[in-house]
Amino acid sequence: MARWGRVPGRHADQYDWISAYLYDRGLQRLWRVTIFIATVLLAASTALMGFSPQGPGNRLTTVICFVAAGSAVAAALPFLSHWPTRRQSMAFSLTSSATIAAACLSYSNPYVGLVGCATFSVVGGFVAYFHTLREVNLNCGVAALCAAVLAGRVVAKTGDAYLTAAALAVVAALNVSLPFGIESLVRTLRVDLRSSGRDPLTGLHNRRSFHYSVYELMMRHHGSGAHLIITMIDLDNFKHLNDTQGHAAGDAALIGVSEALEKSCRRSAVIGRAGGEEFLVADVVRQPEPEVHAERLRQAIANLPVSVTASVGTASAPIDGDAATPNLGLIDELIRAADDAMYQAKRAGGNRSCHNGQL
């Protein structure tokens, strides 16, 4: 049975598939603007505290406060111009955690700083939505350390342990419930999307899920100088197999082909059933050799014990270009080009492969 995504060690990182999910629904721009505006507002609150008697108490802590505000805005700038890479997103979350810590610890009134630790939950929510549980725990750890230091200062200054405990309870509730609630929700959403994206017979991606997964693949390799290669596979005379041996034999052939494709492709490859007797394979490679790749898949199908062969078409293109992030349009273009190449192979008699080098 096909394994979803086929990329070991990536299941915990949500950035690529969330990016594809938002792109497909036209929501990336809304998220970019929202994240940038929220960051600017939080940075403004930090800067404004620089003028408050409860804020930083000397020149050094005032400078820290303003540097923290400026750093947060600078880290959010990629969201203003384009959908950031995973690395830029991680830099934004780490910078945000560091600037919140610096600002809260710089306030002369420790109670204000302690209450300000609730802001870590905003970063925690972002990390839980886009990244991994490890980053969520890291953000919570920084929040807990800052809150502990500031709680000690509050008790030392006021002697009011009850006030301190009440503030700690609010900070803890927000920094635990919000990030971990979002993390649990996103994991559940991904499982549901995966289940709905499988072809029930072969276990491969259906066409919509194939697009999502290829977009994830492109996101992971964007900026590496790699090429995306897409292969369209159509079984020859499949209708004749169904008519002469029955649909059970046809289903067995489809399952056999899906297993042969999995064994013949790299683990990074995305394999889907496009419909009927058509299959799609996508992979990202540094040195594209589409003819070799296509011939390997064709031969793997021809070697099956069932009497079936395949016409194979491929197309490839660099995934970087001028765009800041990959796009689903390139996937559609390559599928059309691979489909044209596949029909060239079929018109030439089938059981052969062709490459469309136009892109």
Short mmCIF file of all heavy atoms in Angstrom, two decimals, residues 179-238:
data_model
loop_
_atom_site.label_atom_id
_atom_site.label_comp_id
_atom_site.label_asym_id
_atom_site.label_seq_id
_atom_site.Cartn_x
_atom_site.Cartn_y
_atom_site.Cartn_z
N PRO A 179 -1.12 27.05 22.11
CA PRO A 179 -0.25 26.34 21.16
C PRO A 179 -0.56 24.85 21.03
O PRO A 179 -0.63 24.32 19.92
CB PRO A 179 1.16 26.56 21.74
CG PRO A 179 1.03 27.76 22.61
CD PRO A 179 -0.34 27.70 23.18
N PHE A 180 -0.75 24.18 22.17
CA PHE A 180 -0.96 22.74 22.10
C PHE A 180 -2.34 22.41 21.55
O PHE A 180 -2.53 21.36 20.92
CB PHE A 180 -0.72 22.11 23.46
CG PHE A 180 0.73 22.08 23.86
CD1 PHE A 180 1.25 23.03 24.72
CD2 PHE A 180 1.58 21.12 23.32
CE1 PHE A 180 2.59 23.03 25.07
CE2 PHE A 180 2.92 21.11 23.66
CZ PHE A 180 3.44 22.06 24.54
N GLY A 181 -3.31 23.27 21.77
CA GLY A 181 -4.63 23.07 21.16
C GLY A 181 -4.56 23.19 19.65
O GLY A 181 -5.13 22.38 18.92
N ILE A 182 -3.84 24.21 19.17
CA ILE A 182 -3.67 24.39 17.72
C ILE A 182 -2.89 23.23 17.12
O ILE A 182 -3.23 22.71 16.05
CB ILE A 182 -2.97 25.74 17.43
CG1 ILE A 182 -3.90 26.90 17.79
CG2 ILE A 182 -2.54 25.82 15.96
CD1 ILE A 182 -3.27 28.26 17.63
N GLU A 183 -1.84 22.80 17.81
CA GLU A 183 -1.02 21.70 17.31
C GLU A 183 -1.84 20.42 17.15
O GLU A 183 -1.75 19.72 16.13
CB GLU A 183 0.15 21.46 18.28
CG GLU A 183 1.32 20.69 17.68
CD GLU A 183 1.16 19.19 17.84
OE1 GLU A 183 0.35 18.76 18.70
OE2 GLU A 183 1.83 18.45 17.11
N SER A 184 -2.69 20.15 18.13
CA SER A 184 -3.55 18.97 18.06
C SER A 184 -4.57 19.10 16.93
O SER A 184 -4.83 18.13 16.18
CB SER A 184 -4.28 18.78 19.40
OG SER A 184 -5.20 17.72 19.34
N LEU A 185 -5.13 20.28 16.77
CA LEU A 185 -6.12 20.51 15.71
C LEU A 185 -5.51 20.34 14.32
O LEU A 185 -6.11 19.70 13.44
CB LEU A 185 -6.71 21.91 15.85
CG LEU A 185 -7.74 22.34 14.80
CD1 LEU A 185 -8.97 21.45 14.87
CD2 LEU A 185 -8.13 23.81 15.00
N VAL A 186 -4.31 20.88 14.12
CA VAL A 186 -3.67 20.80 12.81
C VAL A 186 -3.30 19.35 12.48
O VAL A 186 -3.44 18.91 11.34
CB VAL A 186 -2.43 21.71 12.76
CG1 VAL A 186 -1.64 21.49 11.48
CG2 VAL A 186 -2.85 23.17 12.86
N ARG A 187 -2.84 18.61 13.46
CA ARG A 187 -2.52 17.20 13.22
C ARG A 187 -3.77 16.42 12.80
O ARG A 187 -3.74 15.59 11.90
CB ARG A 187 -1.91 16.57 14.47
CG ARG A 187 -0.44 16.92 14.68
CD ARG A 187 0.12 16.24 15.91
NE ARG A 187 1.51 16.57 16.08
CZ ARG A 187 2.52 15.90 15.52
NH1 ARG A 187 2.25 14.86 14.73
NH2 ARG A 187 3.77 16.24 15.73
N THR A 188 -4.88 16.70 13.49
CA THR A 188 -6.13 16.03 13.15
C THR A 188 -6.57 16.41 11.74
O THR A 188 -7.02 15.55 10.96
CB THR A 188 -7.22 16.41 14.16
OG1 THR A 188 -6.80 16.05 15.47
CG2 THR A 188 -8.53 15.70 13.84
N LEU A 189 -6.44 17.68 11.40
CA LEU A 189 -6.81 18.14 10.06
C LEU A 189 -5.98 17.44 9.00
O LEU A 189 -6.50 17.02 7.96
CB LEU A 189 -6.61 19.66 9.96
CG LEU A 189 -6.82 20.30 8.59
CD1 LEU A 189 -8.25 20.11 8.12
CD2 LEU A 189 -6.45 21.78 8.62
N ARG A 190 -4.69 17.29 9.26
CA ARG A 190 -3.83 16.66 8.27
C ARG A 190 -4.20 15.19 8.07
O ARG A 190 -4.21 14.69 6.94
CB ARG A 190 -2.36 16.77 8.68
CG ARG A 190 -1.43 16.32 7.57
CD ARG A 190 0.02 16.50 7.91
NE ARG A 190 0.83 16.36 6.71
CZ ARG A 190 2.15 16.34 6.71
NH1 ARG A 190 2.80 16.44 7.84
NH2 ARG A 190 2.82 16.23 5.59
N VAL A 191 -4.50 14.49 9.16
CA VAL A 191 -4.91 13.09 9.04
C VAL A 191 -6.18 12.97 8.20
O VAL A 191 -6.30 12.10 7.33
CB VAL A 191 -5.12 12.46 10.43
CG1 VAL A 191 -5.78 11.09 10.31
CG2 VAL A 191 -3.79 12.34 11.17
N ASP A 192 -7.14 13.87 8.46
CA ASP A 192 -8.40 13.85 7.70
C ASP A 192 -8.15 14.14 6.23
O ASP A 192 -8.74 13.50 5.34
CB ASP A 192 -9.39 14.85 8.28
CG ASP A 192 -9.93 14.43 9.64
OD1 ASP A 192 -9.76 13.23 9.98
OD2 ASP A 192 -10.49 15.27 10.36
N LEU A 193 -7.30 15.12 5.95
CA LEU A 193 -7.00 15.45 4.56
C LEU A 193 -6.29 14.31 3.85
O LEU A 193 -6.53 14.04 2.67
CB LEU A 193 -6.16 16.73 4.50
CG LEU A 193 -6.89 18.03 4.82
CD1 LEU A 193 -5.90 19.18 4.87
CD2 LEU A 193 -7.98 18.31 3.80
N ARG A 194 -5.40 13.64 4.58
CA ARG A 194 -4.69 12.51 4.00
C ARG A 194 -5.67 11.39 3.63
O ARG A 194 -5.58 10.79 2.57
CB ARG A 194 -3.64 11.98 4.97
CG ARG A 194 -2.43 12.88 5.08
CD ARG A 194 -1.44 12.28 6.05
NE ARG A 194 -0.15 12.93 5.97
CZ ARG A 194 0.94 12.53 6.63
NH1 ARG A 194 0.86 11.48 7.40
NH2 ARG A 194 2.06 13.17 6.50
N SER A 195 -6.58 11.11 4.55
CA SER A 195 -7.53 10.03 4.31
C SER A 195 -8.40 10.33 3.10
O SER A 195 -8.67 9.46 2.28
CB SER A 195 -8.40 9.81 5.55
OG SER A 195 -7.61 9.44 6.66
N SER A 196 -8.85 11.57 2.98
CA SER A 196 -9.71 11.94 1.86
C SER A 196 -8.93 12.06 0.56
O SER A 196 -9.52 12.12 -0.51
CB SER A 196 -10.42 13.27 2.15
OG SER A 196 -9.47 14.32 2.26
N GLY A 197 -7.59 12.10 0.65
CA GLY A 197 -6.77 12.27 -0.54
C GLY A 197 -6.23 10.97 -1.11
O GLY A 197 -5.40 11.01 -2.01
N ARG A 198 -6.68 9.84 -0.60
CA ARG A 198 -6.17 8.56 -1.08
C ARG A 198 -7.12 7.91 -2.09
O ARG A 198 -8.33 7.97 -1.93
CB ARG A 198 -5.95 7.60 0.08
CG ARG A 198 -4.88 8.04 1.05
CD ARG A 198 -4.52 6.92 1.98
NE ARG A 198 -3.56 7.34 2.99
CZ ARG A 198 -2.86 6.50 3.74
NH1 ARG A 198 -3.05 5.21 3.60
NH2 ARG A 198 -2.01 6.96 4.62
N ASP A 199 -6.53 7.28 -3.07
CA ASP A 199 -7.30 6.45 -3.98
C ASP A 199 -7.65 5.16 -3.23
O ASP A 199 -6.74 4.49 -2.70
CB ASP A 199 -6.47 6.13 -5.22
CG ASP A 199 -7.15 5.10 -6.10
OD1 ASP A 199 -8.28 5.37 -6.55
OD2 ASP A 199 -6.55 4.02 -6.31
N PRO A 200 -8.93 4.82 -3.11
CA PRO A 200 -9.31 3.68 -2.28
C PRO A 200 -8.76 2.34 -2.75
O PRO A 200 -8.58 1.43 -1.94
CB PRO A 200 -10.84 3.71 -2.33
CG PRO A 200 -11.19 4.49 -3.55
CD PRO A 200 -10.10 5.48 -3.71
N LEU A 201 -8.50 2.18 -4.06
CA LEU A 201 -8.02 0.90 -4.56
C LEU A 201 -6.52 0.72 -4.36
O LEU A 201 -6.06 -0.31 -3.85
CB LEU A 201 -8.36 0.76 -6.05
CG LEU A 201 -7.86 -0.52 -6.74
CD1 LEU A 201 -8.52 -1.75 -6.12
CD2 LEU A 201 -8.10 -0.46 -8.24
N THR A 202 -5.73 1.71 -4.74
CA THR A 202 -4.28 1.56 -4.73
C THR A 202 -3.61 2.18 -3.50
O THR A 202 -2.46 1.87 -3.21
CB THR A 202 -3.67 2.22 -5.98
OG1 THR A 202 -3.95 3.63 -5.95
CG2 THR A 202 -4.28 1.62 -7.25
N GLY A 203 -4.31 3.07 -2.81
CA GLY A 203 -3.70 3.77 -1.69
C GLY A 203 -2.82 4.93 -2.11
O GLY A 203 -2.20 5.59 -1.27
N LEU A 204 -2.73 5.19 -3.40
CA LEU A 204 -1.93 6.31 -3.89
C LEU A 204 -2.69 7.63 -3.72
O LEU A 204 -3.88 7.64 -3.42
CB LEU A 204 -1.59 6.11 -5.37
CG LEU A 204 -0.80 4.85 -5.73
CD1 LEU A 204 -0.62 4.77 -7.24
CD2 LEU A 204 0.56 4.83 -5.04
N HIS A 205 -1.99 8.74 -3.94
CA HIS A 205 -2.65 10.04 -3.94
C HIS A 205 -3.70 10.11 -5.04
O HIS A 205 -3.49 9.59 -6.13
CB HIS A 205 -1.64 11.17 -4.20
CG HIS A 205 -0.60 11.31 -3.16
ND1 HIS A 205 -0.77 12.03 -2.00
CD2 HIS A 205 0.67 10.84 -3.09
CE1 HIS A 205 0.33 11.99 -1.28
NE2 HIS A 205 1.22 11.27 -1.91
N ASN A 206 -4.84 10.77 -4.74
CA ASN A 206 -5.72 11.13 -5.84
C ASN A 206 -5.19 12.42 -6.47
O ASN A 206 -4.17 12.95 -6.03
CB ASN A 206 -7.18 11.27 -5.38
CG ASN A 206 -7.36 12.35 -4.31
OD1 ASN A 206 -6.60 13.31 -4.22
ND2 ASN A 206 -8.38 12.18 -3.48
N ARG A 207 -5.86 12.91 -7.49
CA ARG A 207 -5.28 14.02 -8.27
C ARG A 207 -5.10 15.28 -7.41
O ARG A 207 -4.07 15.94 -7.49
CB ARG A 207 -6.17 14.32 -9.48
CG ARG A 207 -5.55 15.30 -10.46
CD ARG A 207 -5.65 14.79 -11.86
NE ARG A 207 -4.90 15.61 -12.80
CZ ARG A 207 -4.70 15.27 -14.05
NH1 ARG A 207 -5.16 14.13 -14.52
NH2 ARG A 207 -4.02 16.05 -14.87
N ARG A 208 -6.09 15.61 -6.60
CA ARG A 208 -5.99 16.83 -5.79
C ARG A 208 -4.87 16.69 -4.75
O ARG A 208 -4.06 17.60 -4.57
CB ARG A 208 -7.33 17.08 -5.09
CG ARG A 208 -7.36 18.37 -4.27
CD ARG A 208 -8.73 18.54 -3.62
NE ARG A 208 -8.82 19.79 -2.88
CZ ARG A 208 -9.18 20.94 -3.40
NH1 ARG A 208 -9.48 21.01 -4.68
NH2 ARG A 208 -9.25 22.04 -2.67
N SER A 209 -4.81 15.54 -4.10
CA SER A 209 -3.77 15.30 -3.11
C SER A 209 -2.39 15.28 -3.76
O SER A 209 -1.40 15.72 -3.15
CB SER A 209 -4.03 13.97 -2.40
OG SER A 209 -2.95 13.63 -1.57
N PHE A 210 -2.31 14.79 -4.99
CA PHE A 210 -1.05 14.79 -5.73
C PHE A 210 -0.53 16.21 -5.87
O PHE A 210 0.66 16.48 -5.64
CB PHE A 210 -1.26 14.15 -7.09
CG PHE A 210 -0.03 14.12 -7.96
CD1 PHE A 210 0.90 13.11 -7.82
CD2 PHE A 210 0.19 15.10 -8.93
CE1 PHE A 210 2.04 13.07 -8.62
CE2 PHE A 210 1.31 15.08 -9.72
CZ PHE A 210 2.24 14.05 -9.58
N HIS A 211 -1.40 17.14 -6.22
CA HIS A 211 -0.99 18.54 -6.36
C HIS A 211 -0.45 19.08 -5.04
O HIS A 211 0.60 19.74 -5.01
CB HIS A 211 -2.18 19.40 -6.82
CG HIS A 211 -2.39 19.38 -8.30
ND1 HIS A 211 -2.86 18.27 -8.97
CD2 HIS A 211 -2.21 20.34 -9.24
CE1 HIS A 211 -2.95 18.55 -10.26
NE2 HIS A 211 -2.56 19.79 -10.45
N TYR A 212 -1.16 18.83 -3.93
CA TYR A 212 -0.69 19.31 -2.63
C TYR A 212 0.71 18.78 -2.32
O TYR A 212 1.60 19.51 -1.90
CB TYR A 212 -1.64 18.85 -1.52
CG TYR A 212 -2.94 19.61 -1.42
CD1 TYR A 212 -4.07 19.01 -0.85
CD2 TYR A 212 -3.04 20.92 -1.86
CE1 TYR A 212 -5.26 19.69 -0.73
CE2 TYR A 212 -4.23 21.60 -1.75
CZ TYR A 212 -5.34 20.99 -1.19
OH TYR A 212 -6.52 21.67 -1.08
N SER A 213 0.87 17.48 -2.51
CA SER A 213 2.12 16.84 -2.11
C SER A 213 3.28 17.28 -2.99
O SER A 213 4.41 17.42 -2.52
CB SER A 213 1.96 15.32 -2.15
OG SER A 213 0.97 14.90 -1.23
N VAL A 214 3.02 17.50 -4.28
CA VAL A 214 4.09 17.99 -5.16
C VAL A 214 4.46 19.42 -4.77
O VAL A 214 5.64 19.79 -4.80
CB VAL A 214 3.66 17.91 -6.64
CG1 VAL A 214 4.74 18.50 -7.54
CG2 VAL A 214 3.39 16.46 -7.03
N TYR A 215 3.48 20.21 -4.39
CA TYR A 215 3.79 21.57 -3.93
C TYR A 215 4.68 21.51 -2.69
O TYR A 215 5.64 22.29 -2.56
CB TYR A 215 2.49 22.31 -3.63
CG TYR A 215 2.69 23.76 -3.24
CD1 TYR A 215 2.76 24.75 -4.21
CD2 TYR A 215 2.81 24.14 -1.91
CE1 TYR A 215 2.95 26.08 -3.86
CE2 TYR A 215 2.99 25.46 -1.54
CZ TYR A 215 3.06 26.43 -2.52
OH TYR A 215 3.25 27.73 -2.16
N GLU A 216 4.37 20.61 -1.75
CA GLU A 216 5.23 20.42 -0.58
C GLU A 216 6.65 20.07 -1.01
O GLU A 216 7.63 20.59 -0.47
CB GLU A 216 4.69 19.30 0.31
CG GLU A 216 3.43 19.63 1.06
CD GLU A 216 3.07 18.51 2.02
OE1 GLU A 216 3.94 18.10 2.82
OE2 GLU A 216 1.92 18.02 1.96
N LEU A 217 6.76 19.15 -1.96
CA LEU A 217 8.06 18.72 -2.46
C LEU A 217 8.83 19.90 -3.04
O LEU A 217 10.04 20.07 -2.79
CB LEU A 217 7.85 17.64 -3.51
CG LEU A 217 9.08 16.90 -4.04
CD1 LEU A 217 9.73 16.08 -2.94
CD2 LEU A 217 8.69 16.00 -5.21
N MET A 218 8.15 20.74 -3.79
CA MET A 218 8.79 21.91 -4.37
C MET A 218 9.23 22.90 -3.30
O MET A 218 10.31 23.49 -3.38
CB MET A 218 7.84 22.59 -5.35
CG MET A 218 7.50 21.75 -6.59
SD MET A 218 6.09 22.41 -7.52
CE MET A 218 6.77 23.95 -8.14
N MET A 219 8.39 23.09 -2.28
CA MET A 219 8.75 23.99 -1.19
C MET A 219 10.01 23.54 -0.48
O MET A 219 10.87 24.35 -0.11
CB MET A 219 7.59 24.07 -0.18
CG MET A 219 6.40 24.87 -0.63
SD MET A 219 6.68 26.66 -0.56
CE MET A 219 6.74 26.95 1.21
N ARG A 220 10.14 22.22 -0.28
CA ARG A 220 11.31 21.71 0.42
C ARG A 220 12.60 21.93 -0.36
O ARG A 220 13.67 22.08 0.22
CB ARG A 220 11.14 20.21 0.69
CG ARG A 220 10.20 19.89 1.83
CD ARG A 220 10.35 18.45 2.29
NE ARG A 220 9.95 17.49 1.28
CZ ARG A 220 8.72 17.04 1.13
NH1 ARG A 220 7.77 17.49 1.92
NH2 ARG A 220 8.44 16.15 0.19
N HIS A 221 12.50 21.96 -1.69
CA HIS A 221 13.71 22.05 -2.52
C HIS A 221 13.85 23.39 -3.22
O HIS A 221 14.78 23.57 -4.00
CB HIS A 221 13.69 20.93 -3.57
CG HIS A 221 13.82 19.56 -2.99
ND1 HIS A 221 15.03 18.99 -2.69
CD2 HIS A 221 12.87 18.65 -2.63
CE1 HIS A 221 14.84 17.79 -2.18
NE2 HIS A 221 13.55 17.55 -2.13
N HIS A 222 12.95 24.33 -2.95
CA HIS A 222 13.03 25.63 -3.62
C HIS A 222 14.32 26.35 -3.23
O HIS A 222 14.68 26.40 -2.07
CB HIS A 222 11.83 26.48 -3.25
CG HIS A 222 11.70 27.72 -4.07
ND1 HIS A 222 11.38 27.70 -5.41
CD2 HIS A 222 11.89 29.02 -3.76
CE1 HIS A 222 11.36 28.93 -5.87
NE2 HIS A 222 11.66 29.75 -4.90
N GLY A 223 14.99 26.86 -4.23
CA GLY A 223 16.25 27.56 -3.98
C GLY A 223 17.46 26.66 -4.04
O GLY A 223 18.58 27.13 -3.86
N SER A 224 17.26 25.37 -4.32
CA SER A 224 18.37 24.43 -4.35
C SER A 224 18.93 24.23 -5.76
O SER A 224 19.91 23.51 -5.94
CB SER A 224 17.93 23.07 -3.79
OG SER A 224 16.96 22.47 -4.64
N GLY A 225 18.29 24.83 -6.76
CA GLY A 225 18.72 24.63 -8.14
C GLY A 225 18.28 23.32 -8.73
O GLY A 225 18.79 22.90 -9.78
N ALA A 226 17.32 22.66 -8.09
CA ALA A 226 16.86 21.35 -8.55
C ALA A 226 15.78 21.49 -9.62
O ALA A 226 15.26 22.58 -9.87
CB ALA A 226 16.33 20.54 -7.37
N HIS A 227 15.45 20.37 -10.25
CA HIS A 227 14.42 20.30 -11.28
C HIS A 227 13.26 19.43 -10.80
O HIS A 227 13.48 18.41 -10.13
CB HIS A 227 14.98 19.72 -12.58
CG HIS A 227 15.87 20.65 -13.34
ND1 HIS A 227 17.10 21.04 -12.87
CD2 HIS A 227 15.69 21.27 -14.54
CE1 HIS A 227 17.65 21.86 -13.76
NE2 HIS A 227 16.82 22.02 -14.76
N LEU A 228 12.07 19.82 -11.16
CA LEU A 228 10.90 18.99 -10.92
C LEU A 228 10.63 18.19 -12.19
O LEU A 228 10.54 18.76 -13.27
CB LEU A 228 9.68 19.86 -10.59
CG LEU A 228 8.33 19.12 -10.46
CD1 LEU A 228 8.34 18.16 -9.27
CD2 LEU A 228 7.18 20.12 -10.34
N ILE A 229 10.50 16.88 -12.04
CA ILE A 229 10.19 16.02 -13.17
C ILE A 229 8.87 15.32 -12.90
O ILE A 229 8.67 14.75 -11.82
CB ILE A 229 11.32 15.00 -13.44
CG1 ILE A 229 10.92 14.08 -14.60
CG2 ILE A 229 11.68 14.21 -12.20
CD1 ILE A 229 12.07 13.20 -15.08
N ILE A 230 7.95 15.41 -13.86
CA ILE A 230 6.64 14.77 -13.72
C ILE A 230 6.46 13.75 -14.83
O ILE A 230 6.79 14.02 -15.99
CB ILE A 230 5.51 15.80 -13.73
CG1 ILE A 230 5.49 16.57 -12.39
CG2 ILE A 230 4.15 15.14 -13.98
CD1 ILE A 230 4.37 17.55 -12.23
N THR A 231 5.96 12.59 -14.45
CA THR A 231 5.78 11.48 -15.38
C THR A 231 4.31 11.09 -15.43
O THR A 231 3.67 10.91 -14.39
CB THR A 231 6.61 10.27 -14.92
OG1 THR A 231 7.98 10.65 -14.76
CG2 THR A 231 6.52 9.14 -15.95
N MET A 232 3.79 10.99 -16.64
CA MET A 232 2.42 10.51 -16.87
C MET A 232 2.50 9.10 -17.44
O MET A 232 3.24 8.85 -18.39
CB MET A 232 1.67 11.44 -17.82
CG MET A 232 0.30 10.93 -18.22
SD MET A 232 -0.91 10.94 -16.87
CE MET A 232 -1.32 12.70 -16.81
N ILE A 233 1.75 8.19 -16.83
CA ILE A 233 1.77 6.79 -17.23
C ILE A 233 0.35 6.35 -17.56
O ILE A 233 -0.56 6.53 -16.74
CB ILE A 233 2.34 5.90 -16.10
CG1 ILE A 233 3.77 6.35 -15.76
CG2 ILE A 233 2.30 4.42 -16.49
CD1 ILE A 233 4.26 5.83 -14.43
N ASP A 234 0.16 5.78 -18.74
CA ASP A 234 -1.14 5.27 -19.14
C ASP A 234 -0.98 3.82 -19.57
O ASP A 234 -0.13 3.50 -20.42
CB ASP A 234 -1.72 6.10 -20.29
CG ASP A 234 -3.14 5.67 -20.63
OD1 ASP A 234 -4.07 6.15 -19.97
OD2 ASP A 234 -3.29 4.86 -21.57
N LEU A 235 -1.76 2.92 -19.00
CA LEU A 235 -1.65 1.50 -19.32
C LEU A 235 -2.23 1.23 -20.71
O LEU A 235 -3.30 1.73 -21.06
CB LEU A 235 -2.38 0.67 -18.27
CG LEU A 235 -1.90 0.86 -16.82
CD1 LEU A 235 -2.62 -0.12 -15.90
CD2 LEU A 235 -0.39 0.69 -16.72
N ASP A 236 -1.49 0.44 -21.48
CA ASP A 236 -1.91 0.12 -22.85
C ASP A 236 -2.97 -0.98 -22.83
O ASP A 236 -2.86 -1.96 -22.08
CB ASP A 236 -0.70 -0.36 -23.67
CG ASP A 236 0.39 0.70 -23.75
OD1 ASP A 236 0.06 1.89 -23.87
OD2 ASP A 236 1.58 0.31 -23.68
N ASN A 237 -3.99 -0.81 -23.66
CA ASN A 237 -5.02 -1.84 -23.86
C ASN A 237 -5.64 -2.32 -22.54
O ASN A 237 -5.96 -3.50 -22.39
CB ASN A 237 -4.42 -3.04 -24.61
CG ASN A 237 -3.85 -2.66 -25.96
OD1 ASN A 237 -4.48 -1.89 -26.70
ND2 ASN A 237 -2.66 -3.15 -26.29
N PHE A 238 -5.80 -1.39 -21.62
CA PHE A 238 -6.36 -1.78 -20.32
C PHE A 238 -7.83 -2.17 -20.46
O PHE A 238 -8.30 -3.08 -19.76
CB PHE A 238 -6.21 -0.62 -19.33
CG PHE A 238 -6.66 -0.96 -17.94
CD1 PHE A 238 -5.88 -1.77 -17.13
CD2 PHE A 238 -7.86 -0.48 -17.44
CE1 PHE A 238 -6.29 -2.10 -15.84
CE2 PHE A 238 -8.27 -0.80 -16.16
CZ PHE A 238 -7.48 -1.62 -15.36
#
